[in-house]
Amino acid sequence: MSSTTTTTTSPTTNSTAINSNSKNGSNQDPGSYFIDVARQYSSPIGGETELEPKELNTLNSSGGFLVVSTDKLSVKYPSVNLHGHDVGVIQADKPVPDKRLVYYFEIFVKNAGAKGQIAIGFTSQGFKMRRQPGWEANSCGYHGDDGNLYSGHGKGEAFGPTFTTNDTVGAGINYASQEFFFTKNGAVVGGVYKEIKGPLFPTVAVHSQNEEIEVNFGQREFAFDLKEYERQEAMKQKSTVDKISLPPNISYGLVRSYLLHYGYEETLNAFDVASKSTIPPICIAQENGSGEQDTAYALTHRKTLRQLIRNGEIDTALSNLRDWYPQIMQDEKSAACFLLHSQKFIELVRVGALGDAVTYGRIELAKFFKLPLFDDLVRDCVALLAYEQPQKCSAGYLLEDSQREIVADAVNAMILLTDPNVKDSQSCLRSHLERLLRQLTVCCLERRSFNGDQGEVFHLHRVL
């Protein structure tokens, strides 16, 4: 297969673009669609970080019933409890992060004290700080004296072994299965469905004289192999997907229609040769009734223009477009014209021809100043001139190859729109494969919303 097979990923499969544009319905203007895609590349994808619990919250505890060490990671019950509500309970300083597959923390029992009434679990922000985790609504706890699990009421259920001095006990949330799970000395004890929604805090409790525990929020290695647990959970999800069988010609048809849509002619020919003896041909009909022959419209022209834009040869691409499809270039303030002229400006900055870039900007980019659709992107282009190392500035994304791909995709779509047989302009924006990926993204977002917006955040690029 030709070397072009390694570079056929279109940036319009960007999950951020999918998330944003899925809200706009199916009637989005083709030009503004690619401007939106270009704009979304100005922000990093999937780079968000979450605050995590690091220590115990001495301001939100049962006060006189426990003593907290200066490092805020150890607690001790110093006296004799006289009542059932004389619990030494304390939450972590921050709620559990929820944009991940699993959250987990541990305690080490330094001293089980008089009765070993130690508990570990999760509680809500408004939890009564005189009660064991699990004894009240919106809380869950695994208790050391009886090995029972308490989930929102004072009556426990048989769950696992008791724990005592020198034991390490952990509590976690599996967002994929929506379960609390607990461990003892590195082994999983069991799990229970997580009925509680909203922010939860890691919580520990001591309840009899001289009980003392130390909390580990990840500042040192866990006794439990969390990475292996996460790997196994990810494999379970993959296994579920792998059990879904599809006829081989379905995936063949999706890949072939993708190559056709974006004009990868050499790769398409190599793909056909490689699969000719193994895969029966299939034609994926579009919703408007048009089929593969329409997607093959102007294939050679689209391939040539894509290669020129990818190589940064914008002048030649502009010249060919004016000769082959003058209607695309008639409106000098169209999205296609902006993307091409801005890319020419970017290419001049790439090679360090800043004087030529300034001149070109004054002639061509000036047409787009103060136009709402383009204003922020124009400013980003111009900002490249202000830095000795423009690739490291906030507008540096414009110098990446992904920007060339966006321009190439936009030109490709505009050419497909000139096909007199096209009945639906939206079919020119994305291939069948990309529509499928958009549907996958929407389904993953919906599934997460059903789980109270908790669990791994879906990023298509990361999955691919």
Side-chain angles (χ1 to χ4, degrees):
M1 198 171 290
S2 72
S3 60
T4 53
T5 58
T6 61
T7 54
T8 55
T9 300
S10 164
T12 55
T13 57
N14 177 330
S15 64
T16 306
I18 291 171
N19 296 350
S20 172
N21 291 315
S22 64
K23 301 174 184 177
N24 296 338
S26 58
N27 298 316
Q28 187 177 19
D29 171 68
S32 65
Y33 170 78
F34 288 99
I35 294 297
D36 282 348
V37 173
R39 180 174 292 113
Q40 285 153 356
Y41 266 75
S42 66
S43 300
I45 300 167
E48 69 268 33
T49 58
E50 293 184 278
L51 295 176
E52 298 186 38
K54 296 294 184 184
E55 59 187 29
L56 297 169
N57 184 0
T58 55
L59 298 178
N60 193 21
S61 70
S62 54
F65 298 107
L66 51 74
V67 174
V68 183
S69 63
T70 55
D71 64 5
K72 299 183 180 181
L73 291 173
S74 294
V75 296
K76 182 176 182 179
Y77 198 95
S79 58
V80 177
N81 73 74
L82 300 178
H83 305 285
H85 57 264
D86 292 345
V87 180
V89 60
I90 188 168
Q91 293 179 327
D93 62 334
K94 294 180 180 66
V96 171
D98 58 13
K99 293 182 174 65
R100 55 180 63 186
L101 179 64
V102 174
Y103 174 77
Y104 179 79
F105 78 105
E106 285 181 344
I107 61 171
F108 173 71
V109 182
K110 289 182 172 182
N111 189 339
K115 298 180 181 179
Q117 295 174 326
I118 298 167
I120 180 173
F122 298 95
T123 60
S124 62
Q125 189 165 19
F127 184 72
K128 296 178 181 179
M129 302 306 289
R130 295 280 295 276
R131 305 286 283 166
Q132 289 270 18
W135 283 1
E136 299 288 334
N138 297 317
S139 70
C140 181
Y142 173 33
H143 292 213
D145 58 335
D146 55 16
N148 285 352
L149 184 73
Y150 294 77
S151 299
H153 49 79
K155 184 178 180 180
E157 298 178 0
F159 182 67
T162 60
F163 52 89
T164 187
T165 304
N166 293 326
D167 282 332
T168 298
V169 183
I173 302 176
N174 183 332
Y175 289 111
S177 62
Q178 285 294 296
E179 288 182 316
F180 293 118
F181 68 95
F182 297 89
T183 69
K184 178 183 175 183
N185 297 331
V188 175
V189 173
V192 61
Y193 180 70
K194 183 179 78 67
E195 296 180 349
I196 311 168
K197 304 298 181 184
L200 292 171
F201 290 78
T203 305
V204 296
V206 284
H207 197 194
S208 73
Q209 189 173 23
N210 294 326
E211 289 178 1
E212 186 176 5
I213 58 174
E214 184 178 3
V215 185
N216 180 9
F217 290 120
Q219 66 269 23
R220 63 182 184 277
E221 186 176 355
F222 292 128
F224 177 61
D225 192 341
L226 182 60
K227 291 188 180 299
E228 176 61 18
Y229 179 83
E230 290 175 331
R231 189 191 70 81
Q232 291 179 4
E233 289 304 306
M235 288 300 295
K236 286 180 185 178
Q237 295 182 48
K238 183 178 183 299
S239 176
T240 301
V241 174
D242 289 344
K243 290 178 182 177
I244 303 172
S245 61
L246 290 174
N249 57 354
I250 293 294
S251 56
Y252 164 84
L254 286 170
V255 173
R256 194 174 195 281
S257 69
Y258 178 88
L259 297 175
L260 270 171
H261 182 91
Y262 285 105
Y264 296 113
E265 188 173 20
E266 287 94 344
T267 306
L268 176 65
N269 292 335
F271 181 74
D272 283 344
V273 170
S275 55
K276 191 172 184 179
S277 61
T278 57
I279 305 294
I282 184 172
C283 173
I284 300 179
Q286 297 178 356
E287 291 178 6
N288 62 7
S290 61
E292 189 175 276
Q293 69 276 10
D294 297 323
T295 315
Y297 171 78
L299 180 59
T300 301
H301 282 173
R302 292 188 287 119
K303 176 205 73 172
T304 300
L305 288 165
R306 179 174 292 278
Q307 289 176 339
L308 289 170
I309 294 169
R310 278 174 142 187
N311 294 333
E313 300 174 44
I314 307 302
D315 284 336
T316 307
L318 282 165
S319 177
N320 286 343
L321 264 175
R322 291 187 180 105
D323 290 343
W324 298 338
Y325 305 98
Q327 64 271 46
I328 293 176
M329 305 302 294
Q330 281 177 352
D331 181 1
E332 293 187 348
K333 295 183 179 180
S334 67
C337 285
F338 169 75
L339 287 170
L340 284 160
H341 288 308
S342 63
Q343 192 61 37
K344 172 61 179 178
F345 177 89
I346 292 165
E347 298 300 338
L348 291 170
V349 174
R350 267 177 179 254
V351 298
L354 302 187
D356 292 340
V358 170
T359 300
Y360 191 84
R362 286 173 175 169
I363 296 171
E364 298 296 347
L365 287 188
K367 301 172 186 176
F368 302 95
F369 278 127
K370 296 185 179 179
L371 294 180
L373 182 60
F374 313 111
D375 187 52
D376 56 335
L377 291 173
V378 172
R379 283 188 275 107
D380 277 1
C381 287
V382 174
L384 294 172
L385 298 172
Y387 296 88
E388 291 184 5
Q389 294 181 300
Q391 67 275 12
K392 294 183 179 181
C393 74
S394 60
Y397 70 95
L398 293 170
L399 298 172
E400 297 176 0
D401 288 342
S402 57
Q403 188 66 21
R404 288 177 172 175
E405 289 286 354
I406 292 169
V407 178
D409 286 351
V411 170
N412 182 77
M414 294 303 173
I415 294 173
L416 289 174
L417 280 169
T418 67
D419 182 359
N421 294 317
V422 168
K423 299 175 184 178
D424 174 18
S425 63
Q426 300 304 304
S427 67
C428 300
L429 297 183
R430 313 173 197 96
S431 66
H432 294 287
L433 178 59
E434 287 170 310
R435 295 186 212 179
L436 184 63
L437 293 175
R438 287 166 65 86
Q439 179 65 20
L440 170 64
T441 300
V442 170
C443 290
C444 289
L445 292 173
E446 283 294 308
R447 183 181 64 181
R448 191 172 186 274
S449 71
F450 288 144
N451 290 335
D453 289 326
Q454 295 181 333
E456 281 190 297
V457 177
F458 182 82
H459 295 294
L460 184 59
H461 277 195
R462 187 170 61 199
V463 173
L464 296 177

